[in-house]
């Protein structure tokens, strides 16, 4: 039987192919399934290869990739024993088989590939796509936001435009990485060697990669030799910096056309640069974090990775090995390109280390709020009682200030100062406020979860959870147990001195009604207050990180005026005091003004916003009860308000603790899969020893002294 004749070469007429031409083509390349849509579509695709115009050629490439991405496999079209393969590989094999058997079609595609590579430049593709453009976090974030909001101008003369055009979704990066390097190399060999005078596409792309290598070296060297990088890698002198050597090595790669020894030297230099980056990152662990510096470190890491990937492609042998590296590079380019379109991804990635340091600094304070022994437990109760006393004064101050007819700004300022002064006074006197504990103890809990091996983490967690819960209960007991009598005493003293109740009956009834658990907004307001409590702890950690990063304690300790006024020892003591108190100071002042801001913000937007802080709520209820009299405190509404105070305390704790723990867990990269074993272990501990979650352990029994013989008689 004679083999089917080859179909005529592609026609450039405006008329489509006849059914006879299509059938002949399908019989030749798919004898077992001549009606297969993949074969008919590839014939029409190869027949319509444009002869001129860059835009029309790019559109054809887009059509070709869309054909390759279709889900219908082109398997077993010629041989039933053909081994199974991914869908894309079967279609790629069909394309290779057709181009091998159709010289005219192959020549048309070869001319198109040559023209696209000649008319497009790959410098942006290899040196910019997937790499942050700016030198700072804010610059990059604003640039991404502008690209997301504003329409982008087309750049048909750049290969970077083609990459995102033919692969518009992030999942395409995985598909691209799974393509067969052998088939891709075979296709490239078929269409990669045009006849003169068409230029060689491989030479054009290789030149672009060499230029990109040089551009990346210049940019990375500039970032790696900035002052904040040099200051945080003191063990490396400027002259010996590998970032300076990086540019010289790339000059040699360019001059010697990527000779193997120059590529090996480049790899060594990139490794040396990575060591400097690691040194700077370790320094950040102890010297504070800047978002811009973390961003630049990420930019340097990305640049070094890209240079290494380009060097692997340039150094790989031609054929399948080179295309294996090239497909890996293109897949990474595509994945990074889609990631770097997202402002949220930029914020999450670059703020993670900052979040970790802020949480860790909050965690240092959290250790102070976790008791272990019975004596520490009692000290916590006494400390919290002092906090309750100061809170009672702040509650009375708030009632007086809100009664004044002040403009919203001055109302916010005075009430905020009232809160802030009370919180700072609590800190200065060594007292405790129960609702400040959850945010900082959660950071300490996250530290226990992330440190050590899994078994050690589990043991540490099971030990620390009961300590946290009983410490929190001790703080609540001290705060609430003292604010109630202190507020009543203040109200009675006011009435004895002034002659009228501290609150009018209408104001007292309104206060009781505002704390009702379901007839008012006290529960949502309590959850909002929990968010504000967490935000204040973040602000405290951020301020301490800022002080450490800017080295303010060292600046104060060596300030000439302070040394002259306080002496060397006094200046050093002031610097140490700042470092010790700055986190609490920032958290307390921030919390005070945030609590006062909600009412003003609600009135500005016409929303019924307010706050409900459990210690303040109980103090307000106590003053209202003093104004209403003993009979009123036994009424259902008053008792419901008392239950509302308990619900407020629960929500304050739950919301602030959950937020702080969630951020701390994410900042420390703790696997979510470890959550369930931890919860089971804690539940088992509670079932075996529920007392340890409420009360401290009993002291060890003292050994009884021997009784003298004469005393026994």
């Amino acid at each position: 039987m004679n083999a089917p004749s080859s179909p005529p070469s592609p026609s450039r007429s405006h008329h489509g192919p006849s059914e006879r031409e299509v059938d002949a083509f399908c019989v030749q390349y798919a004898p077992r399934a001549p009606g297969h849509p993949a074969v008919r579509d590839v014939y029409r695709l190869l027949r319509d290869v444009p002869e001129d115009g860059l835009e029309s050629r790019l559109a054809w490439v887009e059509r070709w990739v869309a054909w390759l991405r279709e889900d219908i496999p082109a398997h077993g079209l010629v041989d039933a024993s053909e081994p199974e393969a991914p869908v894309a590989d079967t279609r790629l094999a069909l394309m290779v088989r057709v181009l091998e058997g159709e010289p005219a079609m192959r020549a048309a595609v070869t001319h198109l590939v040559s023209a696209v590579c000649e008319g497009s430049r790959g410098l942006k593709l290899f040196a910019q796509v997937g790499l942050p453009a700016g030198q700072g976090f804010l610059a990059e974030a604003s640039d991404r936001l502008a690209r997301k909001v504003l329409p982008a101008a087309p750049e048909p003369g750049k290969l970077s435009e083609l990459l995102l055009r033919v692969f518009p979704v992030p999942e395409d990066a995985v598909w691209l990485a799974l393509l067969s390097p052998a088939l891709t190399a075979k296709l490239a060999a078929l269409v990669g060697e045009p006849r003169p005078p068409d230029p060689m596409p491989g030479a054009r792309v290789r030149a672009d990669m060499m230029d990109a290598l040089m551009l990346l070296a210049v940019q990375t060297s500039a970032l790696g030799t900035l002052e904040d990088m040099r200051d945080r890698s003191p063990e490396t002198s400027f002259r010996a910096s590998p970032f300076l050597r990086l540019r010289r090595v790339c000059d040699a790669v360019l001059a010697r056309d990527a000779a193997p020894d120059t590529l090996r030297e480049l790899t060594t230099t990139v490794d040396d640069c990575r060591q400097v980056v690691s040194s700077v990152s370790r320094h950040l662990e102890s010297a504070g974090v800047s978002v811009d510096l973390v961003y630049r470190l990420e930019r340097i890491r990305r640049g070094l990775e890209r240079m290494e990937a380009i060097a692997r492609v340039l150094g790989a042998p031609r054929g399948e090995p080179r295309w294996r590296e090239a497909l890996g590079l293109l897949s990474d380019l595509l994945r990074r390109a889609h990631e770097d379109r997202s402002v949220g991804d930029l914020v999450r990635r670059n703020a993670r280390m900052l979040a970790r340091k802020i949480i860790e600094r909050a965690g240092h304070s959290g250790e102070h709020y976790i008791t272990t022994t019975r004596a520490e437990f009692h000290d916590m109760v006494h400390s919290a009682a002092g906090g309750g006393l100061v809170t009672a004064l702040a509650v009375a101050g708030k009632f007086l200030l809100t009664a004044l007819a002040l403009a919203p700004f001055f109302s916010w300022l005075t009430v905020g100062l009232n809160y802030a002064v009370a919180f700072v006074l609590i800190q200065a006197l060594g007292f405790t406020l129960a609702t400040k504990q959850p945010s900082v103890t959660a950071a300490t809990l996250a530290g226990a979860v992330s440190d050590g091996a899994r078994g050690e983490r589990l043991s540490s967690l099971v030990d620390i959870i009961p300590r946290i819960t009983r410490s929190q209960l001790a703080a609540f007991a001290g705060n609430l147990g003292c604010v109630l009598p202190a507020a009543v005493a203040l109200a009675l003293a006011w009435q004895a001195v002034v002659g009228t109740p501290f609150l009018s009956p209408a104001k007292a009834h309104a206060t009781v009604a505002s704390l009702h658990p379901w007839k008012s907004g006290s529960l949502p307001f309590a959850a909002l207050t929990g968010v504000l409590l967490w935000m204040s702890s973040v602000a405290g950690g951020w301020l301490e990180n800022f002080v450490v990063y800017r080295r303010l304690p060292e600046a104060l300790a060596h300030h000439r005026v302070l040394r002259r006024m306080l002496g060397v020892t006094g200046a050093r003591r002031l610097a140490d005091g700042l470092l010790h108190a700055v986190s609490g100071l920032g958290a307390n002042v921030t919390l005070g003004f945030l609590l006062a801001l909600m009412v003003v913000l609600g009135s500005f937007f016409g929303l019924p916003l307010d706050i409900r802080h459990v210690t303040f709520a109980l103090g307000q209820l106590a003053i209202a009860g003093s104004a209403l009299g003993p009979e009123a405190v036994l009424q259902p509404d008053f008792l419901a308000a008392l239950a509302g105070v308990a619900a407020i305390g629960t929500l304050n704790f739950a919301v602030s603790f959950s937020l702080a723990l969630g951020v701390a867990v994410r900042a420390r990269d703790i696997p979510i899969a470890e959550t369930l074993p931890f919860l089971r272990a804690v539940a088992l501990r509670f079932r075996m020893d529920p007392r340890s979650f409420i009360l401290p352990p009993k002291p060890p029994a003292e050994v009884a002294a021997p009784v003298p013989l004469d005393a026994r008689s």
Side-chain angles (χ1 to χ4, degrees), residues 174-189:
V174 178
W175 177 88
L176 191 60
L178 295 177
L179 279 181
S180 167
L183 288 172
T184 310
K186 188 177 293 187
L187 178 63

Side-chain angles (χ1 to χ4, degrees), residues 161 449 498:
E161 175 88 358
V449 174
V498 179

Side-chain angles (χ1 to χ4, degrees), residues 450-640:
S450 64
D451 294 338
R454 179 171 179 175
E456 297 174 355
R457 293 199 300 265
L458 187 61
S459 175
S460 177
L461 179 70
V462 171
D463 178 64
I464 201 173
I465 286 289
R467 292 169 55 200
I468 289 177
T469 57
R470 64 176 180 252
S471 301
Q472 186 67 57
L473 289 174
F476 272 126
N479 278 169
L480 303 181
C482 187
V483 71
L484 179 64
V488 171
L490 281 172
L492 295 177
W494 175 278
Q495 187 170 357
V497 173
V498 179
T500 58
F502 191 88
L503 297 179
S504 65
K507 180 64 174 176
H509 282 295
T511 300
V512 173
S514 68
L515 297 174
H516 198 284
W518 59 85
K519 292 183 180 180
S520 71
S522 60
L523 298 186
F525 297 154
L528 174 62
T529 305
V531 176
L532 301 182
L533 289 163
W534 167 73
M535 291 175 61
S536 69
S537 73
V538 172
W542 175 87
L543 182 60
E544 184 175 357
N545 178 81
F546 177 84
V547 167
V548 172
Y549 180 78
R550 298 294 176 182
R551 302 172 64 186
L552 294 185
E554 297 177 42
L556 291 178
H558 294 85
H559 198 280
R560 286 181 294 177
V561 176
L562 290 178
R563 284 192 168 194
R564 191 177 300 117
M565 294 174 57
L566 305 176
V568 175
T569 305
R572 170 55 64 184
R573 190 178 299 117
L574 177 64
D576 293 340
L578 172 67
L579 185 60
H580 176 73
V582 66
S583 179
L585 185 65
N588 289 325
V589 173
T590 302
L591 178 60
F593 284 101
L594 282 177
L595 293 178
L597 180 64
M598 288 301 103
V599 176
V600 177
L601 200 63
S603 63
F604 182 80
F605 287 105
L607 299 174
L609 292 182
D610 207 342
I611 57 100
R612 293 292 184 270
H613 186 283
V614 59
T615 314
F616 281 85
L618 185 59
Q620 292 170 341
L621 189 62
I623 292 178
S626 301
L628 295 174
E631 300 83 3
V633 300
L634 298 178
Q635 296 300 316
D637 285 346
F638 193 93
L639 296 177

Side-chain angles (χ1 to χ4, degrees), residues 10-12 16-23 25-26 34-50 60 63 67 95 98 105:
S11 170
R12 300 304 178 198
S18 66
E19 286 299 323
R20 182 179 178 183
E21 292 174 341
V22 176
D23 291 342
F25 181 89
C26 293
H36 198 285
V39 187
R40 294 180 172 269
D41 291 342
V42 78
Y43 176 72
R44 293 185 176 92
L45 183 68
L46 293 175
R47 188 180 181 280
D48 295 335
V49 176
W60 187 90
R63 287 175 54 203
W67 173 83
M95 174 68 79
V98 170
M105 290 181 173

Side-chain angles (χ1 to χ4, degrees), residues 266-290:
L266 175 61
T267 302
T268 302
T269 306
V270 167
D271 289 339
D272 293 341
C273 291
R274 282 204 182 96
Q275 292 180 11
V276 174
V277 172
S278 300
S279 174
V280 174
S281 299
R282 288 193 300 271
H283 192 276
L284 293 179
E285 293 292 327
S286 59
V289 178
S290 159

